[in-house]
């Protein structure tokens, strides 16, 4: 077993090698604007998962996925040559869901902003249901006499 630090270093190196190789050596016309976002390697360094995004619509994404699958052998050879590990990991390409998740979050934030604006507009001319200040305040002694009719103030227990 290897440690996670070595696997992470190898994954980072695989990400760079695959991105550079796609940019320089792979000339497949189906390959669109592909960005390699991440790479992960298993603990035994035998399998590598490469995450990618494609700028464009679903048709361009499908074409780029097919181009990556057909270039898998060339990419694996280049990874083995540049990393120098005993066993070159097999590559699996997975479309990254990060852009879709970000788009969903942005849509939810836009809905929340619209609701906030709606509430702000409705509350612009609104008035309080009761008094403006709903909290009770202690009454001043000079304003009203006490309920029992005595105007003297009781201070402490009566002494006999």
């Amino acid at each position: 077993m290897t440690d996670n630090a070595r696997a992470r270093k190898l994954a980072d190196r695989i990400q760079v090698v695959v991105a550079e190789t796609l940019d320089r050596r792979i000339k497949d016309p189906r390959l669109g604007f592909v960005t390699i976002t991440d790479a992960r390697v298993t603990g035994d360094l035998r399998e590598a998962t490469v995450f990618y995004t494609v700028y464009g619509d679903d048709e361009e994404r499908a074409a780029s996925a097919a181009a990556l699958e057909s270039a898998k052998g060339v990419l694996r050879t280049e990874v083995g040559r540049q990393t120098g590990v005993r066993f070159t990991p097999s590559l699996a390409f997975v479309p990254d869901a990060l852009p879709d998740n970000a788009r969903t979050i942005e849509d939810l934030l836009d809905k929340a902003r619209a609701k906030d604006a709606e509430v702000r507009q409705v509350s612009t001319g609104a008035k309080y249901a009761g008094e403006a200040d709903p909290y009770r305040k202690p009454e001043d002694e000079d304003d009203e006499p006490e309920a029992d009719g005595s105007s003297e103030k009781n201070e402490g227990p009566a002494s006999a």
Side-chain angles (χ1 to χ4, degrees):
M1 282 315 278
T2 60
D3 60 334
N4 288 336
R6 183 170 181 208
R8 186 68 236 165
K9 285 179 186 178
L10 181 62
D12 290 342
R13 185 68 188 138
I14 288 173
Q15 179 181 355
V16 170
V17 169
V18 168
E20 288 176 352
T21 305
L22 285 175
D23 188 38
R24 295 184 183 146
R25 288 194 52 197
I26 307 299
K27 304 297 181 196
D28 194 337
R30 299 176 293 175
L31 198 61
F33 292 108
V34 176
T35 303
I36 304 300
T37 57
D38 194 17
R40 296 188 185 146
V41 178
T42 58
D44 61 356
L45 307 179
R46 297 275 179 158
E47 297 174 10
T49 305
V50 179
F51 294 93
Y52 69 95
T53 59
V54 178
Y55 182 74
D57 58 357
D58 291 334
E59 184 177 312
E60 290 173 346
R61 290 180 191 155
S64 294
L68 286 172
E69 285 299 317
S70 68
K72 192 182 284 190
V74 173
L75 293 170
R76 184 172 182 215
T77 302
E78 192 65 26
V79 165
R81 191 178 67 75
Q82 290 193 22
T83 57
V85 292
R86 179 181 296 170
F87 180 81
T88 304
S90 62
L91 301 177
F93 291 98
V94 177
D96 198 354
L98 185 67
D100 296 331
N101 292 342
R103 194 172 313 118
T104 302
I105 290 171
E106 284 296 324
D107 291 343
L108 292 173
L109 287 173
D110 288 341
K111 287 180 184 178
R113 284 187 198 107
K115 284 286 190 185
D116 286 347
E118 180 182 324
V119 167
R120 192 175 309 115
Q121 186 167 354
V122 168
S123 67
T124 309
K127 296 181 181 175
Y128 292 105
E131 299 175 14
D133 189 9
Y135 300 105
R136 292 186 182 185
K137 295 181 180 155
E139 296 178 14
D140 292 335
E141 294 176 8
D142 298 336
D143 290 345
E144 296 179 19
E146 290 186 14
D148 62 354
S150 65
S151 61
E152 295 177 8
K153 189 174 181 184
N154 279 340
E155 294 184 19
S159 57

